[in-house]
Amino acid sequence: MRIDQALAFAQAELAGTETPAIDSRALLCHCLKKPVSYLYTWPERELSEAQLSQFNTLVAKRKEGTPVAYLRGHQEFWSMDFSVSEATLIPRPETELLVEKVLELNQRADAAICDLGTGTGAIAIALASELPKAHITGVDRVPEAVELAKSNAALNHVKNVTFKQSDWFSAIPNCIFDIIVSNPPYVESASEYLLQGDVRFEPASALTSGKDGLDDIRNILSTAAHHLNNNGMLLIEHGYNQGPAVAKEFETHGFTDIITFYDVNTLDRVTTGRWYTC
C-alpha cells in the first residue's frame, strides 16, 4: 500500500472521530519514522509489510478510542518531546498557561519551584529549561510517573530538576519554595466528560477529585502555605467553570493578590495567589 492510499484508508476508518486526518498523519509518521513533510513529498512510496501491519494495528486501536499520544508513546509540550504512558495524563496545550504565568510572575532567576502531581514532568521540565538557575522539584505519588519524569528530564537534557515520590507534600515536609505550581485532578467524579474522548483511557485518579472536583485543590491550599516563603506564589490549573470557586478557596485559606487567568479559548484555567507571612 502506498502512503497516499494508507492515509485515505486511515481517514475512512477514523471518520466520525474528532480529527481523523491529523491522527492518520501522526500515526503514519510514527510508523515510518518520518516527518509530516515526507508524506506530501513521497505519496507514492510503498509501505513495507511491517510498517503496514503496525499502521493497521494503530489505526484499529485509535478507532476504539486509544489516544494517539499513548499509541505513539510521546507528546509535544512547550516545544519539547515527552514520553507518555498510561500511568500519567497526556500533557495538553492548555497546561502551557501554567508555565507561561510562572515565567511572567517569577521575580527570581534562582527561584525554588515545586510542581505538585508532576506526571510526565512536563511542567517541571519546561520551567527548568526556561529557568536554568532555578531549583525545580517535581513530586508525584505514583512511582511509575516519577520514573517517567526522570527519563523525560534526561530525554530533554534538563538537569536542574529533581523528581521524588510524594503524595503532595508528604515526602518533602520541610521543603520551602518561592513558587508552587500544580495541575491536580479537578474533574467532578460524576462528570459526563469522563465518558468522552481520550480521557476514557487516562488514569481516573489523575482526573477526578470528589463530587465538585475540588477536593485535591482544597487539600493543596490547606497545606501549601507551610511550604511557601514570604510573598511566595501558588498557581493551580482548574476546570473552565471552576474559576470563581477556586478563587474563593484561595481567599478562604488566606491567600491574597488572587487572579484567575484565561486560556487560549478565553476560559478560566489558572488561578494564582500570594502568601504573606507578615
Side-chain angles (χ1 to χ4, degrees):
M1 184 179 289
R2 301 178 356 163
I3 285 176
D4 54 358
Q5 293 171 331
L7 286 175
F9 158 77
Q11 290 181 38
E13 285 292 297
L14 300 178
T17 61
E18 189 173 350
T19 53
I22 294 173
D23 294 350
S24 298
R25 290 193 293 269
L27 294 177
L28 188 53
C29 286
H30 175 71
C31 295
L32 298 176
K33 297 180 173 56
K34 299 290 185 181
V36 173
S37 58
Y38 184 89
L39 306 182
Y40 297 108
T41 305
W42 307 105
E44 75 285 356
R45 289 286 173 89
E46 295 275 348
L47 277 67
S48 69
E49 288 188 14
Q51 290 169 338
L52 181 57
S53 176
Q54 181 187 21
F55 186 58
N56 285 337
T57 298
L58 295 181
V59 169
K61 289 183 178 180
R62 180 55 185 154
K63 188 175 181 179
E64 294 172 353
T66 305
V68 171
Y70 286 161
L71 294 174
R72 297 191 304 166
H74 63 93
Q75 176 75 6
E76 184 179 279
F77 181 88
W78 202 256
S79 298
M80 306 168 78
D81 200 41
F82 290 86
S83 296
V84 300
S85 78
E86 295 182 6
T88 65
L89 289 183
I90 300 166
R92 288 171 167 78
E94 293 86 354
T95 301
E96 292 187 353
L97 182 63
L98 275 174
V99 179
E100 292 173 10
K101 291 306 173 183
V102 171
L103 297 177
E104 178 184 319
L105 299 171
N106 175 46
Q107 299 172 346
R108 294 184 53 177
D110 62 345
I113 302 173
C114 180
D115 175 25
L116 293 174
T118 196
T120 61
I123 295 169
I125 293 167
L127 288 172
S129 71
E130 297 287 348
L131 300 169
K133 294 182 180 180
H135 309 281
I136 316 291
T137 301
V139 301
D140 202 291
R141 68 176 184 82
V142 179
E144 294 85 356
V146 175
E147 292 307 310
L148 183 63
K150 289 178 179 179
S151 68
N152 277 325
L155 176 67
N156 287 285
H157 309 290
V158 173
K159 297 182 179 180
N160 58 319
V161 60
T162 301
F163 293 104
K164 299 179 179 181
Q165 184 181 351
S166 180
D167 187 0
W168 301 132
F169 297 106
S170 65
I172 51 171
N174 301 315
C175 293
I176 306 296
F177 303 96
D178 300 300
I179 299 171
I180 297 172
V181 62
S182 183
N183 176 19
Y186 55 75
V187 179
E188 300 89 341
S189 56
S191 174
E192 294 182 358
Y193 172 69
L194 299 170
L195 304 176
Q196 303 170 9
D198 289 357
V199 297
R200 294 172 296 162
F201 294 82
E202 296 180 273
S205 61
L207 289 164
T208 60
S209 186
K211 186 175 180 179
D212 64 357
L214 300 181
D215 285 1
D216 282 304
I217 290 177
R218 292 191 190 96
N219 189 1
I220 292 169
L221 283 163
S222 69
T223 53
H226 302 297
H227 299 274
L228 281 171
N229 284 319
N230 185 43
N231 196 31
M233 183 170 52
L234 173 65
L235 299 94
I236 296 179
E237 178 175 334
H238 50 74
Y240 72 93
N241 59 347
Q242 295 173 328
V246 173
K248 182 63 176 178
E249 292 291 342
F250 267 76
E251 182 181 357
T252 298
H253 288 88
F255 285 81
T256 59
D257 301 340
I258 302 164
I259 304 172
T260 297
F261 297 102
Y262 296 144
D263 62 19
V264 293
N265 298 310
T266 66
L267 299 172
D268 289 353
R269 185 60 58 187
V270 169
T271 294
T272 180
R274 289 190 179 274
W275 179 259
Y276 296 98
T277 57
C278 57

